[in-house]
Protein backbone atom coordinates (compact mmCIF):
# COMPACT_ATOMS: atom_id res chain seq x y z
CA UNK A 1 0.00 0.00 0.00
CA UNK A 2 1.29 3.41 -0.90
CA UNK A 3 1.44 6.46 1.30
CA UNK A 4 0.50 10.05 0.67
CA UNK A 5 2.97 12.34 2.37
CA UNK A 6 2.92 16.09 2.90
CA UNK A 7 6.51 17.39 2.94
CA UNK A 8 7.41 20.61 4.77
CA UNK A 9 10.79 22.32 4.36
CA UNK A 10 11.82 25.55 6.12
CA UNK A 11 15.48 25.02 7.06
CA UNK A 12 16.75 28.08 5.24
CA UNK A 13 15.19 30.66 2.94
CA UNK A 14 12.73 28.56 0.94
CA UNK A 15 9.27 27.88 2.29
CA UNK A 16 8.37 24.63 0.55
CA UNK A 17 5.43 22.25 0.67
CA UNK A 18 4.91 19.14 -1.41
CA UNK A 19 2.54 16.27 -1.77
CA UNK A 20 4.15 12.95 -2.66
CA UNK A 21 2.80 9.48 -3.27
CA UNK A 22 5.29 6.85 -2.14
CA UNK A 23 5.27 3.07 -2.29
CA UNK A 24 7.59 0.11 -2.64
CA UNK A 25 10.43 -1.23 -0.51
CA UNK A 26 13.51 0.65 0.74
CA UNK A 27 15.67 -0.87 -1.97
CA UNK A 28 13.38 0.27 -4.79
CA UNK A 29 11.03 3.04 -3.68
CA UNK A 30 8.47 4.42 -6.07
CA UNK A 31 7.62 8.10 -5.94
CA UNK A 32 5.02 10.25 -7.67
CA UNK A 33 4.95 13.99 -7.05
CA UNK A 34 1.43 15.35 -6.84
CA UNK A 35 2.27 18.93 -5.83
CA UNK A 36 5.51 20.82 -5.47
CA UNK A 37 5.45 24.40 -4.20
CA UNK A 38 8.59 26.39 -3.41
CA UNK A 39 8.23 29.97 -2.25
CA UNK A 40 11.59 31.70 -2.25
CA UNK A 41 12.44 34.51 0.15
CA UNK A 42 15.26 35.78 -2.05
CA UNK A 43 13.71 39.25 -2.38
CA UNK A 44 13.45 39.58 1.42
CA UNK A 45 17.09 38.69 2.11
CA UNK A 46 18.66 40.27 -0.97
CA UNK A 47 19.28 43.70 0.62
CA UNK A 48 21.31 41.96 3.37
CA UNK A 49 23.42 39.91 0.94
CA UNK A 50 22.55 36.67 2.77
CA UNK A 51 19.88 34.93 4.81
CA UNK A 52 18.79 36.66 8.07
CA UNK A 53 17.48 33.85 10.37
CA UNK A 54 14.84 35.89 12.22
CA UNK A 55 13.49 37.31 8.96
CA UNK A 56 13.43 33.79 7.50
CA UNK A 57 11.36 32.57 10.46
CA UNK A 58 8.91 35.47 10.13
CA UNK A 59 8.45 34.80 6.41
CA UNK A 60 7.97 31.05 6.93
CA UNK A 61 5.29 31.69 9.57
CA UNK A 62 3.55 34.11 7.22
CA UNK A 63 3.79 31.89 4.13
CA UNK A 64 3.15 28.36 5.42
CA UNK A 65 -0.64 28.72 6.03
CA UNK A 66 -1.09 30.53 2.70
CA UNK A 67 0.79 27.88 0.74
CA UNK A 68 -1.01 25.08 2.57
CA UNK A 69 -4.46 26.61 1.89
CA UNK A 70 -3.51 26.95 -1.75
CA UNK A 71 -2.39 23.30 -1.87
CA UNK A 72 -5.57 22.15 -0.11
CA UNK A 73 -7.75 24.13 -2.52
CA UNK A 74 -6.04 22.63 -5.55
CA UNK A 75 -6.21 19.06 -4.25
CA UNK A 76 -9.74 17.69 -4.41
CA UNK A 77 -9.14 15.05 -1.75
CA UNK A 78 -6.33 15.85 0.65
CA UNK A 79 -6.15 12.47 2.31
CA UNK A 80 -2.80 12.20 4.05
CA UNK A 81 -0.98 9.26 5.63
CA UNK A 82 1.92 11.28 6.96
CA UNK A 83 3.39 14.73 7.44
CA UNK A 84 7.18 14.87 7.00
CA UNK A 85 9.00 17.95 8.26
CA UNK A 86 12.66 18.97 8.26
CA UNK A 87 14.06 19.04 11.81
CA UNK A 88 17.70 19.80 10.93
CA UNK A 89 20.31 20.77 10.00
CA UNK A 90 19.59 24.42 9.23
CA UNK A 91 18.78 27.74 10.85
CA UNK A 92 17.00 26.89 14.12
CA UNK A 93 14.46 29.75 14.11
CA UNK A 94 13.56 28.81 10.53
CA UNK A 95 13.32 25.08 11.36
CA UNK A 96 11.02 25.80 14.31
CA UNK A 97 8.57 27.58 12.03
CA UNK A 98 8.13 24.41 9.96
CA UNK A 99 8.05 22.09 12.97
CA UNK A 100 5.41 24.12 14.80
CA UNK A 101 3.27 24.36 11.70
CA UNK A 102 3.57 20.59 11.16
CA UNK A 103 2.66 19.85 14.78
CA UNK A 104 -0.41 22.08 14.71
CA UNK A 105 -1.57 20.66 11.38
CA UNK A 106 -1.00 17.11 12.61
CA UNK A 107 -3.07 17.79 15.76
CA UNK A 108 -5.88 19.31 13.66
CA UNK A 109 -6.04 16.53 11.06
CA UNK A 110 -5.57 13.70 13.54
CA UNK A 111 -9.07 14.26 14.90
CA UNK A 112 -10.55 12.78 11.73
CA UNK A 113 -7.52 10.74 10.75
CA UNK A 114 -6.13 8.99 13.86
CA UNK A 115 -3.46 7.06 11.92
CA UNK A 116 -1.82 10.21 10.55
CA UNK A 117 1.94 10.09 11.16
CA UNK A 118 4.30 12.95 11.90
CA UNK A 119 7.84 12.26 10.73
CA UNK A 120 10.96 14.32 11.49
CA UNK A 121 13.37 14.43 8.53
CA UNK A 122 17.10 15.11 8.23
CA UNK A 123 17.51 17.73 5.48
CA UNK A 124 20.73 16.09 4.26
CA UNK A 125 18.95 12.76 3.78
CA UNK A 126 16.45 14.70 1.70
CA UNK A 127 19.28 15.84 -0.58
CA UNK A 128 20.90 12.40 -0.55
CA UNK A 129 17.71 10.65 -1.77
CA UNK A 130 16.79 13.34 -4.30
CA UNK A 131 18.36 11.36 -7.18
CA UNK A 132 15.38 9.02 -6.80
CA UNK A 133 12.80 11.71 -7.57
CA UNK A 134 10.88 11.68 -10.83
CA UNK A 135 11.51 14.51 -13.29
CA UNK A 136 7.89 15.49 -13.79
CA UNK A 137 4.87 16.02 -11.58
CA UNK A 138 2.26 13.28 -11.90
CA UNK A 139 4.60 10.70 -13.44
CA UNK A 140 6.29 8.07 -11.23
CA UNK A 141 10.06 7.56 -11.24
CA UNK A 142 11.28 4.84 -13.50
CA UNK A 143 12.37 1.57 -11.98
CA UNK A 144 15.89 2.03 -10.72
CA UNK A 145 18.12 -0.98 -11.10
CA UNK A 146 19.50 -0.92 -7.57
CA UNK A 147 21.98 -3.63 -8.51
CA UNK A 148 23.77 -0.95 -10.55
CA UNK A 149 23.89 1.67 -7.81
CA UNK A 150 25.74 0.35 -4.75
CA UNK A 151 28.36 0.68 -3.51
CA UNK A 152 28.08 4.34 -4.38
CA UNK A 153 30.04 7.50 -3.68
CA UNK A 154 27.68 10.33 -2.77
CA UNK A 155 28.65 14.00 -2.85
CA UNK A 156 26.36 16.44 -1.03
CA UNK A 157 27.22 20.03 -1.94
CA UNK A 158 25.08 22.89 -0.65
CA UNK A 159 25.21 26.29 0.99
CA UNK A 160 25.81 24.66 4.37
CA UNK A 161 27.55 21.37 3.57
CA UNK A 162 30.26 19.67 1.52
CA UNK A 163 30.19 15.97 2.35
CA UNK A 164 31.52 12.84 0.67
CA UNK A 165 29.86 9.54 1.63
CA UNK A 166 30.32 5.90 0.76
CA UNK A 167 26.90 4.27 0.48
CA UNK A 168 26.55 0.51 0.76
CA UNK A 169 22.79 0.51 0.43
CA UNK A 170 19.87 2.90 0.51
CA UNK A 171 20.14 2.99 4.32
CA UNK A 172 23.79 2.29 5.12
CA UNK A 173 26.51 4.86 4.59
CA UNK A 174 29.76 6.16 6.03
CA UNK A 175 31.15 9.66 5.89
CA UNK A 176 34.49 9.71 4.06
CA UNK A 177 35.15 13.42 4.44
CA UNK A 178 33.67 16.89 4.61
CA UNK A 179 34.68 20.52 4.55
CA UNK A 180 36.92 21.67 7.36
CA UNK A 181 35.63 25.25 7.15
CA UNK A 182 33.27 26.86 4.59
CA UNK A 183 30.87 24.90 2.41
CA UNK A 184 31.40 25.10 -1.34
CA UNK A 185 28.04 26.84 -1.91
CA UNK A 186 28.97 29.39 0.74
CA UNK A 187 32.21 30.08 -1.15
CA UNK A 188 30.19 30.66 -4.35
CA UNK A 189 27.92 33.06 -2.45
CA UNK A 190 30.81 34.97 -0.85
CA UNK A 191 32.82 35.30 -4.06
CA UNK A 192 29.67 36.51 -5.81
CA UNK A 193 29.42 39.25 -3.20
CA UNK A 194 33.02 40.27 -3.82
CA UNK A 195 32.16 40.57 -7.50
CA UNK A 196 29.05 42.66 -6.62
CA UNK A 197 26.75 39.95 -7.94
CA UNK A 198 23.34 39.54 -6.27
CA UNK A 199 22.49 36.86 -3.72
CA UNK A 200 22.27 33.85 -4.08
CA UNK A 201 25.63 33.84 -5.79
CA UNK A 202 25.94 30.29 -7.12
CA UNK A 203 23.82 30.69 -10.24
CA UNK A 204 25.29 34.18 -10.87
CA UNK A 205 28.88 32.89 -10.73
CA UNK A 206 27.93 30.05 -13.05
CA UNK A 207 26.40 32.45 -15.59
CA UNK A 208 29.41 34.78 -15.52
CA UNK A 209 31.90 31.89 -15.52
CA UNK A 210 30.46 30.63 -18.79
CA UNK A 211 31.68 33.88 -20.42
CA UNK A 212 35.15 33.78 -18.86
CA UNK A 213 38.40 31.86 -19.13
CA UNK A 214 39.01 29.43 -16.23
CA UNK A 215 42.77 29.32 -16.89
CA UNK A 216 43.50 33.02 -16.39
CA UNK A 217 44.10 33.03 -12.62
CA UNK A 218 45.68 29.98 -10.94
CA UNK A 219 43.63 30.07 -7.72
CA UNK A 220 44.61 27.35 -5.22
CA UNK A 221 42.81 23.98 -5.38
CA UNK A 222 42.13 23.52 -1.68
CA UNK A 223 43.02 20.06 -0.28
CA UNK A 224 43.35 18.65 -3.79
CA UNK A 225 46.59 16.79 -3.09
CA UNK A 226 45.69 15.95 0.49
CA UNK A 227 45.17 12.23 0.93
CA UNK A 228 42.07 12.65 3.10
CA UNK A 229 38.61 13.06 1.60
CA UNK A 230 38.15 16.40 3.32
CA UNK A 231 37.68 19.76 1.65
CA UNK A 232 38.44 23.38 2.53
CA UNK A 233 37.07 26.56 0.99
CA UNK A 234 38.05 29.46 3.20
CA UNK A 235 41.57 29.75 1.73
CA UNK A 236 40.23 29.88 -1.82
CA UNK A 237 37.76 32.57 -0.81
CA UNK A 238 40.61 34.62 0.72
CA UNK A 239 42.72 34.17 -2.42
CA UNK A 240 39.93 35.66 -4.51
CA UNK A 241 39.63 38.54 -2.02
CA UNK A 242 43.38 39.29 -2.24
CA UNK A 243 43.39 38.98 -6.00
CA UNK A 244 40.58 41.54 -6.28
CA UNK A 245 42.29 43.85 -3.77
CA UNK A 246 45.51 43.78 -5.80
CA UNK A 247 43.77 44.01 -9.17
CA UNK A 248 40.96 46.42 -8.46
CA UNK A 249 40.66 47.38 -12.15
CA UNK A 250 39.05 43.97 -12.71
CA UNK A 251 35.98 45.04 -10.74
CA UNK A 252 35.52 47.99 -13.07
CA UNK A 253 35.70 45.73 -16.11
CA UNK A 254 32.78 44.95 -18.30
CA UNK A 255 32.54 41.55 -19.89
CA UNK A 256 32.69 43.19 -23.29
CA UNK A 257 35.90 45.10 -22.44
CA UNK A 258 38.32 42.55 -23.73
CA UNK A 259 36.60 42.60 -27.09
CA UNK A 260 36.68 46.37 -27.44
CA UNK A 261 39.31 48.17 -29.45
CA UNK A 262 40.22 51.80 -28.95
CA UNK A 263 40.63 52.69 -25.31
CA UNK A 264 42.88 50.58 -23.15
CA UNK A 265 40.83 47.90 -21.47
CA UNK A 266 41.78 45.59 -18.60
CA UNK A 267 42.99 42.22 -19.74
CA UNK A 268 41.27 40.25 -17.00
CA UNK A 269 37.49 40.53 -16.64
CA UNK A 270 35.11 39.68 -13.80
CA UNK A 271 34.03 36.73 -15.93
CA UNK A 272 37.61 35.42 -15.91
CA UNK A 273 37.69 35.69 -12.11
CA UNK A 274 34.36 33.86 -11.84
CA UNK A 275 35.51 31.13 -14.24
CA UNK A 276 38.90 30.72 -12.52
CA UNK A 277 37.24 30.56 -9.08
CA UNK A 278 34.63 28.06 -10.26
CA UNK A 279 37.28 25.78 -11.77
CA UNK A 280 39.32 25.89 -8.53
CA UNK A 281 36.25 25.21 -6.39
CA UNK A 282 35.03 22.27 -8.46
CA UNK A 283 38.30 20.44 -9.09
CA UNK A 284 38.74 18.96 -5.59
CA UNK A 285 35.09 17.81 -5.57
CA UNK A 286 35.44 15.98 -8.85
CA UNK A 287 38.92 14.59 -8.12
CA UNK A 288 37.99 13.26 -4.67
CA UNK A 289 34.69 11.76 -5.78
CA UNK A 290 36.55 9.98 -8.59
CA UNK A 291 39.34 8.81 -6.28
CA UNK A 292 36.82 7.45 -3.77
CA UNK A 293 34.91 5.71 -6.57
CA UNK A 294 38.13 3.95 -7.57
CA UNK A 295 39.22 3.10 -4.04
CA UNK A 296 35.86 1.61 -3.07
CA UNK A 297 35.08 0.09 -6.47
CA UNK A 298 31.85 2.06 -6.63
CA UNK A 299 29.16 1.35 -9.19
CA UNK A 300 27.94 4.93 -9.14
CA UNK A 301 28.60 8.52 -8.18
CA UNK A 302 25.58 10.29 -6.71
CA UNK A 303 25.45 14.10 -6.65
CA UNK A 304 23.04 16.31 -4.66
CA UNK A 305 22.51 19.67 -2.94
CA UNK A 306 22.12 23.20 -4.29
CA UNK A 307 25.55 23.25 -5.96
CA UNK A 308 24.51 20.13 -7.90
CA UNK A 309 22.60 22.61 -10.08
CA UNK A 310 25.96 23.80 -11.40
CA UNK A 311 26.25 22.78 -15.05
CA UNK A 312 30.07 22.67 -15.01
CA UNK A 313 30.09 20.35 -11.97
CA UNK A 314 27.52 18.01 -13.52
CA UNK A 315 29.45 17.92 -16.77
CA UNK A 316 32.81 17.22 -15.10
CA UNK A 317 31.37 14.44 -12.92
CA UNK A 318 29.62 12.96 -15.93
CA UNK A 319 32.86 12.86 -17.92
CA UNK A 320 34.78 11.41 -14.96
CA UNK A 321 32.10 8.76 -14.35
CA UNK A 322 32.22 7.72 -17.97
CA UNK A 323 35.99 7.31 -17.75
CA UNK A 324 35.61 5.20 -14.62
CA UNK A 325 32.70 3.26 -16.13
CA UNK A 326 30.40 4.07 -13.22
CA UNK A 327 26.86 5.45 -13.29
CA UNK A 328 26.38 9.13 -12.66
CA UNK A 329 23.16 9.89 -10.74
CA UNK A 330 21.94 13.42 -10.05
CA UNK A 331 18.54 14.87 -9.15
CA UNK A 332 16.28 16.29 -11.83
CA UNK A 333 17.05 20.03 -12.23
CA UNK A 334 14.17 21.24 -10.00
CA UNK A 335 15.31 19.17 -7.03
CA UNK A 336 18.92 20.29 -6.50
CA UNK A 337 18.11 23.31 -4.37
CA UNK A 338 15.87 23.08 -1.32
CA UNK A 339 12.37 21.67 -1.88
CA UNK A 340 9.80 19.67 0.05
CA UNK A 341 9.47 16.75 -2.39
CA UNK A 342 12.85 15.44 -1.24
CA UNK A 343 11.75 15.89 2.39
CA UNK A 344 8.59 13.85 1.79
CA UNK A 345 10.68 11.17 0.04
CA UNK A 346 13.22 11.04 2.89
CA UNK A 347 10.25 10.92 5.30
CA UNK A 348 9.01 7.80 3.50
CA UNK A 349 12.45 6.18 3.73
CA UNK A 350 12.67 7.11 7.44
CA UNK A 351 9.22 5.64 8.02
CA UNK A 352 10.21 2.34 6.37
CA UNK A 353 13.42 2.32 8.42
CA UNK A 354 11.31 2.96 11.53
CA UNK A 355 13.62 5.82 12.31
CA UNK A 356 12.23 8.04 15.06
CA UNK A 357 13.53 11.60 15.20
CA UNK A 358 12.73 14.11 17.90
CA UNK A 359 10.30 16.75 16.62
CA UNK A 360 12.61 19.59 17.68
CA UNK A 361 14.92 21.83 15.68
CA UNK A 362 18.51 20.60 15.58
CA UNK A 363 20.56 23.16 13.66
CA UNK A 364 23.80 21.19 13.69
CA UNK A 365 22.39 17.74 12.89
CA UNK A 366 24.82 15.59 10.89
CA UNK A 367 24.30 12.70 8.51
O1 LIG B 1 20.71 22.95 -1.01
P1 LIG B 1 20.52 24.41 -1.01
O2 LIG B 1 19.34 24.98 -1.72
O3 LIG B 1 20.45 24.96 0.45
C1 LIG B 1 21.22 24.43 1.48
O4 LIG B 1 20.84 23.36 2.01
O5 LIG B 1 22.28 25.06 1.75
O6 LIG B 1 21.86 25.06 -1.58
C2 LIG B 1 22.00 26.43 -1.80
C3 LIG B 1 23.40 26.71 -2.30
C4 LIG B 1 23.73 28.21 -2.33
O7 LIG B 1 25.01 28.40 -1.77
C5 LIG B 1 23.73 28.51 -3.82
O8 LIG B 1 24.59 29.58 -4.18
C6 LIG B 1 24.20 27.20 -4.41
O9 LIG B 1 23.54 26.22 -3.64
N1 LIG B 1 23.86 27.06 -5.83
C7 LIG B 1 24.79 26.98 -6.81
C8 LIG B 1 24.06 26.93 -8.03
N2 LIG B 1 22.73 26.97 -7.74
C9 LIG B 1 22.63 27.05 -6.38
N3 LIG B 1 26.13 26.95 -6.77
C10 LIG B 1 26.78 26.86 -7.94
N4 LIG B 1 26.17 26.81 -9.14
C11 LIG B 1 24.82 26.84 -9.24
N5 LIG B 1 24.22 26.79 -10.42
ZN1 LIG C 1 19.63 22.12 1.25
Amino acid sequence: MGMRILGIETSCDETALALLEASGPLAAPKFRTLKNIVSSQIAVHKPFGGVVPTLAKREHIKNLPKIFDNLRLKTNDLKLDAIAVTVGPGLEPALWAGIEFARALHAELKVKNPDLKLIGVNHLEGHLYSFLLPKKTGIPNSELRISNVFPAIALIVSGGHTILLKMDSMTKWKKLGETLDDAVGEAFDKVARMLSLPYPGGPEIQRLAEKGNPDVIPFPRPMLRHKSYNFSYSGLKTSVLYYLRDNSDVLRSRNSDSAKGGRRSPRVTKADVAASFQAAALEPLVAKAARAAMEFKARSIILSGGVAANRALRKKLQVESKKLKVNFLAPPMDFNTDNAVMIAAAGYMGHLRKKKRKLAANGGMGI
Side-chain angles (χ1 to χ4, degrees), residues 176-248:
L176 298 175
E178 65 191 318
T179 184
L180 302 177
D181 38 60
D182 293 352
V184 59
E186 196 180 343
F188 270 85
D189 294 335
K190 285 181 178 163
V191 169
R193 249 173 112 162
M194 295 176 205
L195 294 172
S196 314
L197 300 169
Y199 157 85
E204 298 288 332
I205 294 269
Q206 163 175 286
R207 213 165 299 143
L208 197 56
E210 284 169 0
K211 296 184 207 145
N213 179 350
D215 301 321
V216 172
I217 311 152
F219 286 128
R221 269 60 175 158
M223 307 282 291
L224 180 63
R225 310 257 166 254
H226 198 274
K227 61 182 187 310
S228 78
Y229 285 114
N230 290 328
F231 305 95
S232 163
Y233 282 98
S234 79
L236 171 59
K237 177 191 72 191
T238 311
S239 299
V240 179
L241 186 72
Y242 287 169
Y243 179 85
L244 291 172
R245 188 194 59 191
D246 298 341
N247 301 273
S248 55

Side-chain angles (χ1 to χ4, degrees), residues 11-12 14 123 127 157-161 184-186 188-189 200-203 206 278 305-311 336-338:
S11 69
C12 194
E14 324 274 7
H123 181 86
H127 280 304
V157 278
S158 70
H161 296 87
V184 59
E186 196 180 343
F188 270 85
D189 294 335
Q206 163 175 286
Q278 181 172 279
V307 182
N310 188 278
R311 283 187 286 269
N336 297 300
T337 46
D338 290 348

Side-chain angles (χ1 to χ4, degrees), residues 27 37 136 181 188 191 211 226 248 256 264 274-275 319 329 349:
I37 307 173
K136 289 194 175 141
D181 38 60
F188 270 85
V191 169
K211 296 184 207 145
H226 198 274
S248 55
S256 51
R264 215 183 115 252
V319 168
L329 302 167
M349 303 299 264

Side-chain angles (χ1 to χ4, degrees), residues 31-179:
F31 296 125
R32 190 163 77 100
T33 308
L34 303 175
K35 287 271 176 318
N36 173 25
I37 307 173
V38 181
S39 164
S40 171
Q41 302 177 2
I42 287 177
V44 176
H45 300 286
K46 211 168 207 160
F48 304 94
V51 182
V52 185
T54 49
L55 278 184
K57 176 175 180 141
R58 193 192 69 190
E59 289 298 303
H60 288 313
I61 291 174
K62 197 172 81 188
N63 291 332
L64 279 166
K66 287 191 202 163
I67 302 176
F68 180 70
D69 285 345
N70 189 356
L71 184 140
R72 181 150 40 186
L73 270 178
K74 288 187 177 151
T75 313
N76 32 22
D77 169 31
L78 189 64
K79 175 93 182 63
L80 293 176
D81 298 295
I83 298 172
V85 61
T86 306
V87 294
L91 305 169
E92 289 201 356
L95 289 163
W96 275 118
I99 294 168
E100 275 161 12
F101 180 80
R103 275 195 188 148
L105 185 66
H106 180 251
E108 180 197 322
L109 301 180
K110 213 172 152 70
V111 178
K112 285 192 184 157
N113 183 1
D115 293 331
L116 185 67
K117 291 171 184 59
L118 181 56
I119 306 167
V121 174
N122 180 327
H123 181 86
L124 294 172
E125 288 184 16
H127 280 304
L128 186 62
Y129 289 131
S130 55
F131 77 98
L132 294 164
L133 298 175
K135 226 188 234 157
K136 289 194 175 141
T137 298
I139 298 165
N141 54 341
S142 46
E143 198 72 49
L144 192 75
R145 297 242 302 282
I146 301 296
S147 55
N148 290 336
V149 177
F150 302 110
I153 296 302
L155 182 62
I156 308 176
V157 278
S158 70
H161 296 87
T162 308
I163 300 174
L164 197 67
L165 301 174
K166 171 180 173 274
M167 284 179 92
D168 291 314
S169 73
M170 217 62 106
T171 56
K172 244 187 85 192
W173 55 75
K174 187 177 159 250
K175 196 190 282 177
L176 298 175
E178 65 191 318
T179 184

Side-chain angles (χ1 to χ4, degrees), residues 265-285:
S265 53
R267 282 208 321 273
V268 178
T269 63
K270 269 165 77 168
D272 295 330
V273 177
S276 299
F277 159 75
Q278 181 172 279
L282 300 187
E283 196 177 330
L285 299 175

